[in-house]
Every structure is written in C-alpha cells, then in structure tokens.
Amino acid sequence: MFTSKFLANTAVLVSGTAVAQIIGVLVTPIVSRLYTPEMLGLTTVFIGFINFSLELSSLRYQFSIVGAESREDALDLTWGGMIISIFTSLLFTAGLYALISFNILGMGVIPKWTLWITAPVIVLGSAMANLRYWLIRENVFSVVSRISVYQSISRAGMQIALGLLRLGWVGLLSSEITGRLVGLNKMVQSAGPELLRHGRERRYWDLFGTLRRYAAFPIFSMPSAILDTLGASLFLPIVLQLYGVSTAGTLSFAQRLVYLPAGLVAGSVADSFQNRVREYSTSSPAQIRPLFLKTTGMLFLLGIVPTAAFIVFGPIWFGPIFGTEWIQAGVFAAILAPWSAATLMVSPVSRLIFVLGGQPYKLVYDLLAFIFTPAVLYGCHALHVPMNTAFILLTGSQIFAYGVYYYFLLYILKQWEKRQGI
C-alpha cells in the first residue's frame, strides 16, 4: 500500500511543480502574443538539443546517486557526473556545429553564435541534474520543490520583460537560461557546503575509483539511453525538416501545454517512487508490487480528465485564449493528448528498472519508440499523408510502445520477486 512517507514526499514535490506549472500557464496567453511560432520553434529546437545532451552528458552516473551504497559514494558520483560533463559538453558542441553546418534535420536555421553558449549551458544543466539527485537522496524534497517555483518565476518574468523589448527568440532563450541559473544557485546554497568539503578532502584517484565501481550501470544503460533520448528528441527536428520552423514552433507550443499534466506529477512521482522502491528492496520487498500497481492506477486516473479536455476543447479554445496564430496548436494538442496520458502512466514507474535491473528490456522499448518516430513521419511524408493524420499515427505507435514497456516492467518485477522468494 501507499505509505505516509511516499505520499508526503510525492506531495511536497508535486506541490512545487504544480505552482511552477501554474505560473507558466498563467503567463502563456501573454507570452503567446509576444512571440511568434517561428521564435518558439527556434528556441525549442535549440533547447531540445541541450536537453538531449543533458541526458548523456554525465554518462548516466546521475541515476546511480540515489541508489549508491554509501553517502561517500553518492558524493563521489555527484562530483564525477559534473566533471565528466565538462568534457562531454565539448563533444556535443562539435556535434551541434556539424548539424548546423550541414543543415541536418533542418538545424541550419539555428544561428552559429549559439555554439559559444552551448557547452556552458550543458555544464550548467548537468550540475543541476546531479545536484537534484543528491538532494533527493538526502530526502530534501522541500528544497527541490521550491527550486521549481523559483525557476518558473524567473523564467516567466524574463519572458515577458524581454518580449516587451522585442528581443525575439533571443529573449526566449535568455529566459530559459536565466531560469536554470536561478535553480542552480538555490541548489548550490543547499548542497554546496558539503559537496565543497568533500571535493577538497577527497583524493581524485579515489573519486575515479568510485566511478569505475559504478561503471556497469552507465555501460549497460547507455545504449538504451541514447535510443530513448534520440526517440524523444527527434520528433521536433524531423517536423522542422519536413514542415518548417513555424509548424515546429506550433507543435512545441501544443506539446508544452498538453504535457502539463505529465510535467505536473510525473517527475515528482518518479523521484519519490524510485526512492521508495530502493528502500523497500532491502526492507520490505513484498511491498514493491502494491506500490507499483497503485501508483500506475493513480496516474491513469489523473490523466483521464485533461486528456478528454484537450481532445474535446483544444481545437475550439486555443485561438480565443492564445491568439489566432495558435489555432492549429489546439488541433495538435488534441492529437497528442493520448500520448501524453500514456507517458504519465508508464514513465514514472519505469524507474523500477534503476533499482531492480532489467536494462535489456528497456532497450527493446527504446528501440521501438526510436524507430516509430522517423518511420511514421518520413513514411507518411513520402506517401503524401496529411500532416495531422501522420501525427495521429505517430501517437498511436508510441502508445503501443508504452504498452509493450509496461508489460516488460511487470515481467521484471515478477522475476525479481522470484529471486527474492516472494
């Protein structure tokens, strides 16, 4: 059953995320009238590349922090992930240079001056990711919750201020970076003193020794992570290439709104769920299955109402609320809503793999999700299938992939229970 600790931790995280999301929703009708779909498209494609890089920049060591065997190991992994990102950020910057120079996936629309800020933004984001998992391990959920609010307030304020100054997509990009800087500052205030002490006292060869001991997880999860991240990141660049920057911007606007329910609770539930599964795996193994099933059921129920609302009202309400430039975004929202619901239901409980193992099964799901995106979009484009129909088919394929993934999660749990004698 759900425990008071699990519910309390989840409630704290969700409350901060909820406030942050509400702030974003309240300013959206203003932001949508200050920026065009083209501006949003450019920003989203660049930030999408940054987010793709962040999934891999620490070589996935950040996911080992919560489940580390000791506090000293967790501190080593936090430092190690941040140090690794300094080097990988340069590789990702070189990759972006190639994408822009050869106009791969339509990325040539991104100005080359962004290359100067790519590595620093990746290092910034990587530091935030590693510090977030350290704070979660320490059960400092209230700090993590408040950081989401601080980020949202600073981002929203900058979007409006720079939009009024007519800075275009540079204003949107600057707002995103400002929000991340504010978040990092708050994290450093909370975790910084202990991390700095550990960094000064710890010998570097001992730190890298810890990284070697935990290398199995990055090695086995990296192929899956690359496919997973590519599958999630390819959608907008392919749309940019096939349908143009304006359509990509309109689609990203719809994604931002339709994924609000998932963004509101998915990450917070996932963090709390992973932490609780880790505790149960050593203290009460029989409680993991009830926790898994009830969490899934709760997420399913939470997704029904917003999904139905987007399907029924999205095409009607987006124009009057956000402006005539965004009417098509309402249609996109109706199409993407079931995909968002599937993400909300399955993604948080997939953290089970990080504790109980089963990376090969995740690799199968990631391969499916990765193949479906380019196959459906390029296939439909070649066959002259209407754009909206192509997006409907893509949504259906991704829901199918999530169904396969959920079956795998149940199988992984069953096999683990057998090994535990449950």
Side-chain angles (χ1 to χ4, degrees):
M1 61 173 57
F2 286 118
T3 66
S4 58
K5 184 176 181 181
F6 173 77
L7 290 173
N9 291 342
T10 302
V12 171
L13 288 173
V14 169
S15 63
T17 306
V19 174
Q21 297 283 11
I22 290 171
I23 292 170
V25 169
L26 291 176
V27 302
T28 297
I30 302 173
V31 172
S32 64
R33 288 169 169 81
L34 294 174
Y35 302 96
T36 66
E38 290 82 1
M39 296 173 187
L40 184 60
L42 281 171
T43 307
T44 305
V45 170
F46 177 74
I47 294 298
F49 177 84
I50 295 295
N51 291 338
F52 163 79
S53 304
L54 290 177
E55 288 294 320
L56 307 172
S57 60
S58 295
L59 301 185
R60 310 290 285 177
Y61 274 109
Q62 70 270 28
F63 292 108
S64 300
I65 294 171
V66 174
E69 295 176 2
S70 67
R71 187 182 180 85
E72 187 173 72
D73 284 355
L75 286 164
D76 282 347
L77 292 168
T78 304
W79 267 110
M82 292 189 289
I83 292 171
I84 289 170
S85 71
I86 296 173
F87 301 98
T88 57
S89 68
L90 301 177
L91 296 176
F92 285 116
T93 300
L96 181 60
Y97 173 79
L99 291 173
I100 294 174
S101 298
F102 297 101
N103 195 28
I104 300 172
L105 294 175
M107 299 285 278
V109 298
I110 299 177
K112 284 191 175 180
W113 62 261
T114 56
L115 294 168
W116 292 101
I117 65 172
T118 299
V121 173
I122 291 174
V123 172
L124 162 67
S126 178
M128 289 185 64
N130 283 278
L131 289 173
R132 175 182 172 85
Y133 280 104
W134 166 255
L135 292 172
I136 289 171
R137 178 187 171 84
E138 294 296 288
N139 290 314
V140 193
F141 292 96
S142 60
V143 174
V144 177
S145 178
R146 289 197 300 270
I147 287 170
S148 299
V149 179
Y150 296 141
Q151 283 185 267
S152 184
I153 292 173
S154 57
R155 184 187 299 114
M158 288 291 289
Q159 283 177 342
I160 294 174
L162 298 181
L164 292 172
L165 293 175
R166 304 297 181 187
L167 292 185
W169 88 282
V170 176
L172 282 172
L173 182 58
S174 301
S175 303
E176 183 66 32
I177 295 173
T178 299
R180 298 187 185 208
L181 283 170
V182 169
L184 178 62
N185 178 58
K186 297 298 181 182
M187 287 181 174
V188 169
Q189 288 179 13
S190 177
E194 183 168 8
L195 282 167
L196 288 174
R197 177 192 57 76
H198 183 80
R200 286 193 299 265
E201 297 176 356
R202 190 68 163 160
R203 294 179 300 181
Y204 284 104
W205 47 87
D206 290 334
L207 186 151
F208 289 115
T210 301
L211 294 180
R212 283 195 300 271
R213 285 193 291 109
Y214 284 84
F217 181 81
I219 289 172
F220 287 112
S221 69
M222 188 60 71
S224 174
I226 292 173
L227 288 175
D228 186 19
T229 309
L230 277 175
S233 304
L234 276 178
F235 188 16
L236 277 178
I238 293 176
V239 170
L240 171 66
Q241 181 186 30
L242 298 180
Y243 303 108
V245 66
S246 179
T247 300
T250 303
L251 180 65
S252 68
F253 185 83
Q255 281 185 310
R256 179 178 300 181
L257 292 172
V258 83
Y259 274 87
L260 276 175
L264 178 63
V265 298
S268 302
V269 172
D271 291 337
S272 187
F273 177 79
Q274 180 183 353
N275 199 42
R276 201 61 180 153
V277 170
R278 177 179 65 86
E279 294 176 357
Y280 277 156
S281 66
T282 57
S283 61
S284 304
Q287 294 299 319
I288 293 180
R289 178 175 288 272
L291 178 68
F292 177 87
L293 294 176
K294 290 191 176 184
T295 302
T296 302
M298 176 191 71
L299 293 170
F300 174 76
L301 293 175
L302 287 174
I304 290 178
V305 173
T307 299
F310 278 117
I311 291 174
V312 175
F313 300 112
I316 302 171
W317 286 357
F318 267 54
I321 295 174
F322 304 115
T324 56
E325 285 187 306
W326 303 100
I327 292 176
Q328 181 62 31
V331 177
F332 289 160
I335 294 171
L336 298 175
W339 184 355
S340 171
T343 303
L344 173 61
M345 177 179 169
V346 179
S347 182
V349 294
S350 69
R351 293 281 187 90
L352 188 83
I353 287 176
F354 296 146
V355 181
L356 306 187
Q359 276 78 17
Y361 295 100
K362 185 177 188 302
L363 183 60
V364 175
Y365 158 73
D366 290 331
L367 187 61
L368 280 176
F370 171 71
I371 292 173
F372 282 153
T373 298
V376 171
L377 292 178
Y378 284 125
C380 288
H381 192 261
L383 295 172
H384 305 289
V385 174
M387 178 177 63
N388 288 348
T389 303
F391 292 166
I392 291 172
L393 293 174
L394 179 61
T395 293
S397 69
Q398 295 294 337
I399 292 173
F400 171 78
Y402 270 123
V404 172
Y405 194 17
Y406 189 75
Y407 171 80
F408 285 157
L409 293 173
L410 287 172
Y411 179 78
I412 290 167
L413 178 56
K414 181 179 179 179
Q415 294 302 112
W416 185 83
E417 288 174 334
K418 284 184 177 179
R419 293 194 297 271
Q420 300 297 314
I422 300 174

